[in-house]
Amino acid sequence: MSGRDTPSAPVPDEDPTGLPDEDPTGLQSFAVLLRRMNGEFNRIAQEFAQAHGLHLTDVQALIAILDADADADAADEPMTPGRLRRQLNLTSGAVTACIDRLEKTGHIRRVRAVDDRRVVHLHYEEAAKRLARDYFRPLARGTENARGRFSREELAVVVRFLSEVNGELALLRHESPEGGGHGGATGA
C-alpha cells in the first residue's frame, strides 16, 4: 500500500488484482462471473432469434433500438441506421440488410425525421415489444428474484458497478480506430 489505505498500482507483469485466484472479489472471479452471465444472455438471445426467424445480429439491433432512449451519448435522439451501424460495428450493407429483415418481420419501422427528411429514425413496433416482453418474462422474473435477495444499498452498489463497467466498455469502443472494442490494440 502506498499512502493511507490506498492500494499501490499493479506491476505490469504481475496479476493485476494483486490477490490470489481464489479471492471472490478478485479480477479473475469477476471475469468468470461476467463471462458466464454474458454467455447466458447470449444463449437466451440466440433462442429468441431462432424462435422468431431472426439472426443474432437482429436481436442485438432490437436491443440497441429499444435502449436508444437511455443512451446518454445520443441526447434523447431515436436510433438511426448510422448510429446502429457504429454501435454494432457493422458495414453499411450489413446494417441495411438487418434493418430490412426487422422491418419485414414487423419488429421495427423506419420513420423520416420531420425536420430533415434525409434522416431516418428506427422505432421498435409496440406489438414486437409485447412479443419480446412475453418471451423474456422468465428472465425478468429470475432477475427480480435475484434482486430480492439484496438490500437497496447493495443493489445501488451493483448498479454503480455495472454502470462503471459499461462506461469502461464504451470507452474501449470509442478509443478503437475501427470502433471494434479492442481499445486500439494492434495484433503485432
Side-chain angles (χ1 to χ4, degrees):
M1 297 247 173
S2 63
R4 191 173 172 170
D5 296 326
T6 305
S8 57
V11 177
D13 291 334
E14 292 181 7
D15 174 14
T17 63
L19 301 169
D21 288 341
E22 300 85 34
D23 181 5
T25 62
L27 182 59
Q28 182 64 30
S29 294
F30 273 78
V32 169
L33 291 169
L34 290 170
R35 279 194 304 268
R36 285 181 187 161
M37 186 173 64
N38 187 52
E40 287 301 313
F41 284 147
N42 285 339
R43 179 190 56 77
I44 293 167
Q46 182 65 47
E47 289 171 355
F48 178 81
Q50 288 176 341
H52 296 93
L54 301 173
H55 299 177
L56 184 55
T57 301
D58 300 342
V59 176
Q60 293 168 334
L62 286 173
I63 293 167
I65 294 166
L66 180 65
D67 291 346
D69 295 339
D71 185 354
D73 293 339
D76 295 326
E77 288 291 320
M79 183 60 75
T80 64
R83 190 167 133 215
L84 184 62
R85 180 191 61 74
R86 287 186 301 277
Q87 188 166 337
L88 298 182
N89 197 32
L90 298 174
T91 64
S92 294
V95 82
T96 298
C98 175
I99 292 168
D100 288 346
R101 283 190 304 271
L102 291 173
E103 190 172 45
K104 182 179 178 183
T105 56
H107 288 277
I108 65 164
R109 70 185 188 297
R110 292 175 171 119
V111 177
R112 296 230 175 248
V114 176
D115 58 335
D116 185 347
R117 304 286 297 155
R118 296 170 297 175
V119 176
V120 174
H121 293 154
L122 305 174
H123 296 277
Y124 208 140
E125 290 285 10
E126 286 305 315
K129 281 183 185 178
R130 283 191 300 275
L131 177 78
R133 202 174 6 255
D134 289 345
Y135 189 90
F136 291 107
R137 187 162 285 130
L139 175 60
R141 252 192 318 270
T143 301
E144 191 56 28
N145 289 342
R147 287 180 69 243
R149 295 189 284 273
F150 293 85
S151 70
R152 287 187 63 76
E153 293 78 18
E154 289 171 319
L155 290 172
V157 172
V158 172
V159 167
R160 196 174 94 230
F161 170 76
L162 292 173
S163 296
E164 290 294 326
V165 169
N166 283 326
E168 291 295 326
L169 293 172
L171 285 175
L172 289 175
R173 183 175 64 229
H174 295 305
E175 290 173 1
S176 168
E178 298 85 25
H182 55 76
T186 59

